[in-house]
């Protein structure tokens, strides 16, 4: 299933989440997308001091005229490139955009940066046990989010791992007496060392040297650590390091060496904050993380290309290039090799092109932009918080995690960090999969990449056909003629699906107007795991939905297969109505027989009167059919179907070829698939 040619990878294994964990082969014969790409997401190049000048990569090419629809500003902040685009129709000028962006960056650095010795987070780090700090609004928001991320990821994301890193630094300092800089640090007092750690974080080179010299391997089964490290790992946990009290306004330390490092979530928060302050539609990208707001001005979805990480051979070549450019090692920042990668700067190999809706955020974490070379092997700067070791870069371990989160780049950033730290792609999937439901910012998608194969794990909703698979299936259909009997919600939905499969459809409705009983419905539509539930913080589960459905069956008897189908398709059906027809099913109620609030309705009208949800849906569907499906779907009211026209073959099998209508006789040959 894998082949290479001059255009790159032709076929990639996609591991989907289902009961059978089946493999789907995805054709990747071209990196080009049918729609233009608004930007790229890739592993952040570097997180470094403010005086590091990182070269700005050229923006991705545009295949349409959308560039003139935006006002755009771009630059470099904290050594990472950023790009912000706002729809020109908003009337905002580039100077105003720059002012907003700069204001957020300045505030984020003054509040959350460990590189600024006078930042608020470093004031927290310099406190002693018994002291407490009243947090600013920004720090409070980020700390509360970080605390929640620690809980949700079961410690895979943790902003308080500094003590164990400080231990490794001191050990490396003792073993590096030949270095004058290291010797001078070794002679300082413990408080001075801790002060430096707080202000300038850690000397990552010494940390890596010590981790590797102590023999930590890349074998996931090798979990041997010293008693000292085990004790420090216990102290490098949020619950053992910090306390947030008094309505979450004050933070205090539980031990003097506790150090707060919010880099794993601050970038996503900054992107959220910029997007919140800008008018919509807008696109915000910083260091490979992205958030979009509103509808794309070109009338299509926003698109972000996922850049494929380099192979081990590519990384080795880039290390050689880094040496040639003057980097002494063993830590290397792998900038692009101008000689060997000149074409790749303009044309990257993409793993996927993500289609985003307004409010979606993308965060990426990976292993290949900053590495350490030791005994011919490459190691990432990422540390597994559960095992206290560096991640070896090889073909089997997780190389890149891409998270698409609805509404929050902050949590997308935290989830990407947590996933990559687990090393194993399957474990990362197990961590992420529950967050597609039961979370206020549900995951819309995730992509986990390891080099062997290559192997790509994408988020898959059981029973829901992926968009790419559906598109390929529809392409195989030949034009057909379809008769749909009834113009209620089921009939209209079937007609639209058939028309999307290139069929010409006639809807026959016995009444003089469309809608059927669906137009009379007032209660709402039931579904679990919806975006509306997540936004309102309503927990619900498929087992609860299915249990309630089974209990409500007549005589306590139901068809388990149909109940399962109803359950797994409930949320996608509601999302389909919301996205395709712009029906605001934003109110959720709990009706009789339900163990959770899951009945979706439209909000009241401008006069405060309730809106009949059935009538609202059917009116909108009819409008869409008349405008967007003109010539493909025909609605004929006053046409009562009285009989099927059947034909029997030599083996006694009947096929339906048409229908009898009370006043006319229509004979249509149906294509049977």
């Amino acid at each position: 299933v894998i082949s290479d040619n001059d255009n790159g990878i032709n076929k990639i294994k996609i591991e989907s989440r289902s009961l059978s964990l089946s493999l789907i082969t995805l054709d990747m014969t071209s990196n080009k997308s049918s729609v233009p790409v608004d930007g790229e997401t890739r592993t952040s190049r570097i997180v470094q001091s403010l005086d590091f000048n990182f070269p700005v990569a050229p923006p991705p090419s545009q295949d349409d005229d959308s560039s003139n629809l935006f006002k755009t500003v771009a630059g470099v902040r904290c050594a990472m490139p950023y790009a912000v685009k706002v729809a020109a129709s908003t009337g905002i000028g580039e100077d105003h955009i720059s002012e907003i962006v700069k204001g957020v960056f300045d505030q984020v650095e003054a509040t959350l940066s460990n590189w600024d010795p006078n930042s608020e987070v470093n004031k927290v780090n310099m406190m002693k046990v018994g002291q407490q700090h009243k947090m600013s609004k920004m720090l409070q928001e980020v700390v509360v989010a970080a605390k929640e991320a620690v809980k949700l990821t079961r410690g895979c994301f943790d902003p308080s791992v500094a003590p164990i890193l400080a231990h490794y630094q001191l050990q490396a300092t003792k073993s590096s007496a030949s270095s004058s800089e290291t010797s001078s640090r070794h002679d300082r007092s413990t408080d001075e060392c801790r002060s430096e750690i707080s202000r300038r974080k850690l000397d990552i080179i010494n940390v890596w040297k010590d981790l590797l010299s102590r023999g930590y391997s890349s074998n996931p089964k090798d979990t041997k650590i010293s008693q000292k490290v085990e004790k420090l790992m216990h102290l490098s946990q949020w619950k053992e390091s910090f306390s947030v009290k008094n309505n979450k306004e004050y933070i205090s330390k539980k031990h003097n060496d506790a150090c707060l490092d919010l880099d794993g979530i601050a970038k996503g928060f900054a992107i959220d904050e910029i997007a919140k302050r800008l008018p919509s539609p807008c696109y915000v990208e910083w260091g490979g993380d992205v958030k979009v707001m509103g509808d794309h001005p070109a009338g299509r979805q926003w698109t972000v290309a996922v850049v494929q990480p380099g192979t081990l051979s590519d990384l080795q070549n880039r290390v050689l290039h880094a040496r040639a450019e003057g980097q002494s090692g063993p830590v290397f920042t792998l900038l692009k090799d101008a000689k060997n990668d000149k074409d790749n700067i303009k044309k990257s190999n993409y793993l996927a092109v993500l289609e985003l809706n307004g409010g979606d955020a993308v965060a990426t974490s990976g292993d290949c932009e900053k590495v350490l070379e030791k005994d011919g092997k490459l190691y990432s700067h990422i540390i597994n918080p559960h095992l206290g070791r560096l991640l070896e870069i090889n073909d089997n371990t997780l190389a890149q995690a891409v998270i698409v989160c609805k509404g929050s780049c902050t949590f997308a950033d935290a989830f990407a960090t947590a996933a990559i730290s687990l090393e194993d792609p399957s474990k990362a999937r197990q961590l992420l999969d529950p967050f597609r439901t039961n979370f206020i910012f549900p995951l819309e998608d995730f992509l986990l990449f390891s080099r062997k194969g290559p192997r790509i794990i994408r988020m898959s909703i059981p029973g829901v056909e992926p968009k790419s698979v559906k598109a390929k299936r529809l392409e195989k259909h030949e034009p057909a003629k379809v008769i749909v009997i009834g113009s209620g919600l089921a009939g209209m939905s079937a007609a639209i699906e058939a028309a999307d499969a290139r069929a010409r459809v006639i809807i026959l409705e016995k009444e003089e107007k469309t809608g059927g009983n669906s137009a009379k419905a007032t209660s709402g539509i039931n579904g679990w795991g919806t975006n509306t539930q997540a936004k309102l913080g309503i927990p619900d589960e498929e087992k609860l939905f299915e249990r309630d459905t089974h209990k409500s069956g007549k005589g306590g008897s139901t068809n388990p297969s149909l109940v399962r189908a109803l359950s797994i398709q409930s949320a996608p059906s509601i999302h389909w109505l919301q996205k395709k027809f712009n029906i605001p099913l934003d109110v959720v109620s709990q009706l009789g027989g339900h163990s959770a609030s899951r009945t979706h309705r439209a909000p009241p009208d401008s006069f405060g009167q309730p809106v009949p949800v059935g009538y609202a849906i059917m009116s909108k569907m009819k409008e869409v059919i008349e405008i967007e499906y003109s010539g493909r779907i025909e609605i004929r009211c006053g046409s009562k179907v009285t009989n099927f026209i059947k034909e029997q073959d030599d083996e006694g099998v009947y096929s339906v070829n048409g229908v009898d209508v009370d006043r006319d006789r229509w004979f249509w040959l149906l294509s049977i698939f």
Side-chain angles (χ1 to χ4, degrees):
V1 296
I2 305 298
S3 63
D4 294 319
N5 59 19
D6 293 337
N7 293 324
I9 298 172
N10 277 351
K11 293 183 183 295
I12 291 182
K13 285 183 179 178
I14 307 292
E15 184 172 342
S16 64
R17 179 189 180 275
S18 66
L19 294 178
S20 61
L21 296 180
S22 59
L23 289 176
I24 303 171
T25 303
L26 175 65
D27 191 357
M28 295 274 292
T29 55
S30 173
N31 287 326
K32 293 184 178 180
S33 172
S34 59
V35 295
V37 174
D38 296 306
E40 293 180 350
T41 182
R42 66 176 77 221
T43 304
S44 300
R45 297 287 188 168
I46 187 172
V47 177
Q48 188 55 276
S49 57
L50 301 181
D51 56 359
F52 181 86
N53 294 318
F54 182 79
V56 180
S61 60
Q62 296 287 336
D63 296 330
D64 66 354
D65 296 329
S66 64
S67 58
N68 61 14
L69 299 177
F70 294 99
K71 297 292 185 180
T72 304
V73 298
V76 177
R77 198 65 186 253
C78 296
M80 294 181 291
Y82 68 86
V84 178
K85 298 188 287 187
V86 182
S89 60
T90 63
I92 192 171
E94 293 179 0
D95 290 342
H96 191 188
I97 298 173
S98 297
E99 181 182 350
I100 292 174
V101 172
K102 182 179 183 301
V104 172
F105 281 144
D106 288 346
Q107 188 177 3
V108 167
E109 288 178 15
T111 306
L112 308 175
S113 174
N114 289 79
W115 298 98
D116 182 354
N118 298 315
S119 70
E120 185 177 3
V121 72
N122 273 329
K123 291 179 181 178
V124 172
N125 291 335
M126 296 303 297
M127 292 192 311
K128 303 293 185 181
V129 173
Q131 296 178 320
Q132 61 180 4
H133 172 76
K134 185 175 182 179
M135 295 181 286
S136 65
K137 181 180 178 182
M138 177 174 286
L139 182 60
Q140 183 182 16
E141 288 184 30
V142 178
V143 165
V144 170
K147 182 181 178 182
E148 181 68 12
V150 172
K151 177 183 176 182
L152 293 171
T153 63
R154 300 185 295 278
C156 295
F157 170 84
D158 198 319
S160 54
V161 295
I164 188 171
L165 297 179
H167 166 74
Y168 287 135
Q169 183 190 37
L170 294 176
Q171 292 296 320
T173 301
K174 294 177 181 178
S175 63
S176 304
S178 59
S179 169
S180 59
E181 181 182 359
T182 303
S183 297
S184 64
R185 290 182 180 175
H186 176 64
D187 292 336
R188 297 176 186 175
S189 67
T190 302
D191 286 341
E192 288 175 325
C193 287
R194 182 165 60 244
S195 176
E196 181 178 359
I197 292 168
S198 299
R199 290 196 306 267
R200 302 292 295 171
K201 300 177 77 174
L202 300 163
D203 187 336
I204 299 299
I205 296 177
N206 286 340
V207 173
W208 286 350
K209 280 182 177 180
D210 186 63
L211 281 170
L212 294 173
S213 66
R214 294 174 67 83
Y216 290 111
S217 71
S218 61
N219 183 358
K221 296 182 180 180
D222 183 3
T223 59
K224 183 179 179 181
I225 56 177
S226 69
Q227 291 182 353
K228 176 67 173 177
V229 172
E230 186 173 7
K231 180 179 178 180
L232 286 171
M233 286 179 64
H234 179 69
L235 293 176
S236 299
Q237 299 176 17
W238 175 267
K239 64 180 181 180
E240 304 295 337
S241 300
F242 292 97
S243 176
V244 178
K245 297 180 179 180
N246 297 338
N247 294 324
K248 302 178 181 178
E249 293 183 356
Y250 289 85
I251 186 171
S252 59
K253 286 184 174 184
K254 294 184 177 181
H255 60 86
N256 285 329
D257 289 322
C259 184
L260 188 61
D261 183 352
L262 297 169
D263 277 353
I265 201 171
K267 183 171 63 171
F269 175 82
I271 292 173
D272 282 336
E273 196 67 15
I274 292 173
K276 183 171 66 175
R277 299 186 188 186
L278 289 171
S280 179
C282 66
Y283 169 99
V284 182
E285 177 185 348
W286 185 31
D289 292 355
V290 176
K291 187 172 186 179
V292 298
M293 297 295 289
D295 297 327
H296 195 287
R300 57 174 175 83
Q301 287 182 294
W302 302 88
T303 51
V304 174
V306 180
V307 178
Q308 179 182 350
T311 64
L312 292 182
S313 178
D314 293 335
L315 297 183
Q316 292 285 5
N317 290 335
R318 290 168 68 186
V319 168
L320 293 176
H321 176 70
R323 287 188 186 276
E325 292 294 313
Q327 295 189 43
S328 58
V331 179
F332 298 94
T333 299
L334 301 184
L335 307 180
K336 286 289 187 180
D337 184 336
K339 180 179 179 181
N340 298 325
D341 290 344
K342 184 176 181 180
D343 294 335
N344 287 338
I345 294 178
K346 298 180 180 179
K347 182 180 179 181
S348 299
N349 289 324
Y350 298 144
L351 293 177
V353 177
L354 305 175
E355 295 184 345
L356 308 179
N357 298 305
D360 287 350
V362 184
T364 304
S365 184
D367 68 359
C368 62
E369 296 299 341
K370 197 169 186 180
V371 302
L372 180 141
E373 185 183 38
K374 176 73 172 179
D375 297 331
K377 296 182 179 181
L378 297 179
Y379 295 82
S380 168
H381 67 289
I382 299 169
I383 292 179
N384 185 320
H386 291 167
L387 302 179
R389 71 181 185 203
L390 290 174
L391 278 61
E392 181 184 348
I393 301 175
N394 58 40
D395 285 333
N396 297 307
T397 54
L398 185 58
Q400 183 166 278
V402 183
I403 309 297
V404 182
C405 191
K406 188 69 175 179
S408 176
C409 199
T410 304
F411 279 98
D413 203 1
F415 287 145
T417 302
I420 199 72
S421 73
L422 285 173
E423 307 180 40
D424 181 81
S426 296
K427 291 182 179 179
R429 179 184 62 191
Q430 293 171 12
L431 170 71
L432 296 172
D433 199 56
F435 297 117
R436 65 182 179 85
T437 60
N438 289 338
F439 182 51
I440 191 171
F441 302 114
L443 299 191
E444 296 278 279
D445 197 1
F446 60 74
L447 186 151
L448 307 173
F449 172 83
S450 59
R451 295 180 176 87
K452 187 175 182 179
R455 182 187 184 193
I456 297 178
I457 299 177
R458 292 289 296 271
M459 188 181 85
S460 178
I461 302 175
V464 177
E465 186 178 33
K467 186 176 181 179
S468 58
V469 176
K470 180 179 179 180
K472 291 184 178 298
R473 175 176 60 80
L474 294 180
E475 289 175 359
K476 298 178 181 179
H477 284 293
E478 296 181 358
K481 296 178 180 179
V482 174
I483 295 174
V484 175
I485 303 172
S487 65
L489 181 54
M492 292 281 200
S493 301
I496 290 172
E497 286 289 288
D500 288 341
R502 301 197 294 169
R504 181 164 174 253
V505 184
I506 289 183
I507 300 176
L508 299 177
E509 170 57 51
K510 66 180 180 180
E511 303 294 341
E512 295 301 323
K513 58 183 179 180
T514 62
N517 286 331
S518 299
K520 304 173 185 177
T522 58
S523 295
I525 301 179
N526 298 316
W528 71 272
T530 66
N531 291 338
T532 304
Q533 283 181 317
K535 186 181 298 183
L536 298 175
I538 300 172
D540 199 3
E541 298 182 62
E542 56 187 321
K543 64 181 180 182
L544 298 178
F545 185 99
E546 293 175 18
R547 183 198 66 183
D548 294 343
T549 306
H550 282 298
K551 289 175 64 176
S552 67
K554 185 177 181 181
S557 176
T558 57
N559 185 320
S561 296
L562 294 180
V563 172
R564 178 66 174 162
L566 175 67
S567 172
I568 61 180
Q569 294 282 357
S570 63
S573 299
I574 291 173
H575 296 160
W576 183 68
L577 292 172
Q578 291 174 319
K579 293 178 181 179
K580 189 173 183 67
F581 304 101
N582 198 29
I583 297 171
L585 300 175
D586 301 330
V587 177
V588 182
S589 303
Q590 182 173 351
L591 300 187
H594 295 282
S595 56
S597 298
R598 60 168 72 107
T599 304
H600 294 67
R601 302 170 171 173
D605 61 20
S606 57
F607 299 101
Q609 299 298 315
V611 175
V613 62
Y615 179 79
I617 292 174
M618 298 315 303
S619 299
K620 187 63 177 180
M621 292 187 80
K622 182 181 179 183
E623 178 185 332
V624 169
I625 287 176
E626 291 175 344
I627 297 175
E628 299 183 15
Y629 290 85
S630 176
R632 291 184 289 165
I633 299 178
E634 179 183 355
I635 301 175
R636 297 190 179 186
C637 294
S639 300
K640 183 179 180 180
V641 175
T642 59
N643 192 29
F644 291 116
I645 300 175
K646 296 179 287 187
E647 192 174 274
Q648 187 177 16
D649 61 16
D650 296 338
E651 297 180 357
V653 178
Y654 285 94
S655 59
V656 177
N657 296 325
V659 296
D660 280 328
V661 182
D662 55 356
R663 288 188 298 272
D664 301 293
R665 183 177 177 86
W666 303 96
F667 180 81
W668 281 43
L669 181 64
L670 300 181
S671 298
I672 306 299
F673 298 101

